[in-house]
């Protein structure tokens, strides 16, 4: 993924070209390079490191209307975007319309735009697996947070055997259809709950020819992960997510971060404005400038964001 920066008001073509050649940095694009869309706000897991468990009862929940989704998809289809992900702070497979929505994204997208979802896999039924393959989903990332019944249930509150069986069934369906996509990646956060199981996990997924990635947890802009983190946590600064990625909630609200579980910074609503208008709004640009100036008076979630 390219590194981006927010150009100054007086930066001209030459200044931008020099920075690109010298520092390999691109100016913030006029339209986001990646977009996440929350087609349903619900989740079936209660992960210990996730903000959902502490916020879902406090806020309205729901499904995205078809008209909002198509408005977003159609606008994205007019731009060259690296990735569109129909999920955001939720479990995407709880949206029964997900395969047809992915198919629509693929219908209107420009060449080079990929579709990707992150799921816990518990709702990866045979019918959903068939639908995702047929829809042309490009990347399927599955979060598996534990490799024993105890660690998995403590981490996610789900049934490990069911999830692993779902993944094997998906692989069989994809093979039967002789489909290349979606490519599957399994991800695991290295927490104290699963640290001793990482070596086993690497062998398990290698046997299935599945790419396996290990990440370190962050505090999701507010969760206390001190008891989970294997390494010492530190404040996250110089984040560049809002230089390249946009986040749209099920009701059309566009928030500033994928970790803004409490919806504290709403930038606008795509019912009333386009993504491009919100992305380039004076308020959004000013918030970015404040962040890089170390002013978190309007960005409380950024002040407490930590990584391990």
């Amino acid at each position: 993924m390219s590194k981006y920066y927010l150009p100054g008001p007086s930066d001209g073509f030459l200044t931008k070209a020099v920075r690109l050649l010298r520092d390999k940095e691109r100016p913030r694009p006029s339209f986001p390079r990646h977009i996440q869309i929350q087609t349903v706000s619900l989740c079936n897991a209660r992960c210990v490191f996730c903000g959902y468990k502490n916020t879902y009862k406090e806020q309205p929940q729901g499904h995205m209307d078809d008209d909002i989704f198509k408005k977003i998809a159609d606008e994205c289809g007019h731009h060259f975007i690296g990735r569109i992900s129909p999920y955001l702070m939720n479990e995407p497979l709880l949206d029964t319309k997900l395969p047809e929505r992915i198919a629509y994204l693929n219908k209107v997208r420009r060449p080079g735009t990929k579709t990707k979802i992150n799921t816990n896999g518990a709702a990866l039924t045979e019918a959903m697996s068939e639908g995702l393959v047929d829809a042309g989903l490009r990347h399927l990332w599955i979060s598996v947070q534990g490799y024993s019944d105890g660690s998995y249930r403590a981490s996610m509150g789900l049934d490990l055997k069911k999830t692993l069986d779902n993944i094997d069934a998906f692989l069989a369906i994809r093979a039967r259809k002789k489909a290349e996509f979606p490519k599957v990646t399994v991800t695991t956060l290295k927490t104290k709950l699963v640290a001793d199981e990482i070596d086993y996990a690497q062998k398990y997924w290698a046997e299935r020819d599945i790419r396996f990635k290990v990440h370190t947890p962050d505090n999701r802009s507010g969760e206390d992960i001190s008891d989970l983190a294997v390494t010492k946590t530190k404040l996250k600064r110089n984040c560049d997510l809002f230089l390249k990625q946009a986040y749209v909630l099920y009701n059309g609200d566009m928030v500033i971060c994928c970790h803004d579980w409490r919806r504290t910074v709403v930038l606008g609503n795509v019912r009333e404005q386009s993504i491009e208008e919100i992305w380039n709004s004076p308020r959004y640009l000013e918030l970015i400038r404040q962040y890089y100036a170390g002013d978190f008076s309007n960005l409380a979630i950024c002040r407490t964001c930590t990584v391990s």
Side-chain angles (χ1 to χ4, degrees), residues 69-128:
F69 180 81
K70 288 189 174 181
K71 183 176 186 289
I72 296 170
D74 290 342
E75 183 179 3
C76 291
H78 290 99
H79 298 271
F80 288 102
I81 303 172
R83 169 171 51 83
I84 303 177
S85 299
Y87 76 94
L88 172 64
M89 299 182 282
N90 72 306
E91 170 47 52
L93 302 188
L94 297 183
D95 181 2
T96 58
K97 294 182 178 181
L98 187 63
E100 65 184 79
R101 286 177 159 168
I102 291 171
Y104 188 78
L105 287 171
N106 283 326
K107 177 183 176 182
V108 301
R109 70 176 175 86
R110 288 197 172 186
T113 299
K114 301 174 182 178
T115 51
K116 169 183 177 283
I117 61 171
N118 280 32
T119 172
N120 58 47
L124 188 61
T125 63
E126 291 190 10
M128 180 60 74

Side-chain angles (χ1 to χ4, degrees), residues 45-306:
R46 298 295 181 268
C47 297
V48 291
F49 45 76
C50 181
Y52 180 83
K53 68 182 185 300
N54 295 325
T55 61
Y56 76 101
K57 291 182 179 179
E58 304 171 359
Q59 303 163 329
Q61 307 292 338
H63 293 70
M64 179 172 282
D65 294 341
D66 290 340
D67 58 340
I68 299 181
F69 180 81
K70 288 189 174 181
K71 183 176 186 289
I72 296 170
D74 290 342
E75 183 179 3
C76 291
H78 290 99
H79 298 271
F80 288 102
I81 303 172
R83 169 171 51 83
I84 303 177
S85 299
Y87 76 94
L88 172 64
M89 299 182 282
N90 72 306
E91 170 47 52
L93 302 188
L94 297 183
D95 181 2
T96 58
K97 294 182 178 181
L98 187 63
E100 65 184 79
R101 286 177 159 168
I102 291 171
Y104 188 78
L105 287 171
N106 283 326
K107 177 183 176 182
V108 301
R109 70 176 175 86
R110 288 197 172 186
T113 299
K114 301 174 182 178
T115 51
K116 169 183 177 283
I117 61 171
N118 280 32
T119 172
N120 58 47
L124 188 61
T125 63
E126 291 190 10
M128 180 60 74
S129 296
E130 295 258 3
L132 295 178
V133 174
D134 293 344
L137 177 67
R138 186 62 177 266
H139 294 287
L140 175 65
W141 284 41
I142 305 173
S143 173
V144 180
Q145 306 302 329
Y147 294 87
S148 64
D149 290 338
S151 63
Y152 187 80
R153 193 168 292 280
S155 294
M156 306 183 76
L158 297 171
D159 183 275
L160 176 62
K161 184 178 185 304
K162 179 181 178 182
T163 298
L164 297 181
D165 287 347
N166 286 349
I167 296 172
D168 285 342
F170 171 85
L171 296 174
I173 289 170
R174 189 184 64 179
R176 172 170 54 81
K177 289 178 172 289
K178 298 180 180 179
E180 182 182 359
F181 301 110
K183 298 290 188 182
V184 177
T185 299
V186 168
T187 65
T188 298
L189 290 177
K190 189 174 182 179
T191 66
K192 292 178 181 178
L193 290 170
V194 302
D196 293 340
E197 301 172 350
I198 296 297
D199 288 344
Y200 168 82
Q202 290 174 330
K203 295 175 184 177
Y204 182 91
W205 298 119
E207 290 174 356
R208 287 158 176 77
D209 196 26
I210 291 178
R211 186 172 67 157
F212 177 58
K213 296 181 75 67
V214 179
H215 300 284
T216 55
D218 58 50
N219 74 339
R220 306 293 176 101
S221 301
E223 296 301 302
D224 182 3
I225 60 168
S226 56
D227 291 337
L228 294 172
V230 175
T231 57
K232 186 177 180 180
T233 60
K234 60 183 179 180
L235 288 171
K236 184 176 183 179
R237 295 294 181 258
N238 297 316
C239 178
D240 64 349
L241 289 179
F242 36 55
L243 298 180
K244 58 195 174 188
Q245 190 149 314
Y247 311 95
V248 184
L249 299 179
Y250 78 97
N251 63 354
D253 282 345
M254 190 162 141
V255 292
I256 199 167
C257 180
C258 56
H259 290 167
D260 193 359
W261 297 91
R262 290 182 168 80
R263 309 168 189 174
T264 61
V265 185
V266 177
L267 304 162
N269 190 285
V270 299
R271 285 186 185 273
E272 304 153 3
Q273 296 174 278
S274 66
I275 293 173
E276 187 172 15
E277 288 172 331
I278 299 171
W279 180 257
N280 295 295
S281 66
R283 176 171 176 254
Y284 196 177
L285 296 176
E286 178 56 27
L287 286 171
I288 296 173
R289 293 188 186 99
Q290 289 175 10
Y291 174 84
Y292 284 113
D295 177 4
F296 304 112
S297 54
N298 295 308
L299 294 166
I301 60 169
C302 298
R303 180 187 293 115
T304 58
C305 189
T306 63

